[in-house]
Amino acid sequence: MAPGAARDGLGEQPSAAGEALVGVLAREDGAGPDPDRPQPGPEVAASLDEALEPWRAAYPEVAAEGRVVIGSAGQEVVRAAADASLVVVGRRARRSAPGAHIGGVAYAVLHHGRAPVALVPHG
């Protein structure tokens, strides 16, 4: 999700007052974390870093950190957002039947997270 899309969806800009942006890329492995299984390589972290670059450029005063984790995306975002003041979750803008359609990650964050959640449509 591009900075402009999130900003338009939220109506606010991030503040440098102690806030940070944390991007989470979760790789789900049906068997869960296993030390004998290969972990994501540096190219995965590099792709997350590349995705965060527009945010860093748009808001240089806000720290932007990327985390690559193994596990359920919904659970990992909820875990990463335990102390968040706001969680922003993108959702695909579908052209199907009317009504709100959310995916598993948004559902998990809405129902299990502690922080307020902003669902921002994209695509």
Side-chain angles (χ1 to χ4, degrees):
M1 180 182 338
R7 183 181 59 244
D8 294 345
L10 297 174
E12 296 181 25
Q13 293 185 10
S15 162
E19 297 296 326
L21 171 70
V22 178
V24 177
L25 177 74
R27 286 289 180 95
E28 192 156 350
D29 180 347
D34 181 345
D36 295 331
R37 287 209 163 116
Q39 299 298 306
E43 68 281 354
V44 176
S47 71
L48 178 56
D49 211 38
E50 183 179 322
L52 290 172
E53 194 50 45
W55 290 93
R56 291 181 179 124
Y59 306 104
E61 69 281 2
V62 177
E65 169 194 348
R67 295 182 191 166
V68 177
V69 294
I70 300 290
S72 161
Q75 291 175 356
E76 294 302 330
V77 171
V78 168
R79 185 175 292 126
D83 296 324
S85 55
L86 176 67
V87 180
V88 180
V89 179
R91 91 172 166 77
R92 291 190 182 114
R94 297 183 180 168
R95 289 169 178 72
S96 59
H101 298 279
I102 62 171
V105 175
Y107 184 89
V109 174
L110 282 168
H111 289 277
H112 302 290
R114 294 183 179 137
V117 178
L119 288 176
V120 180
H122 65 88

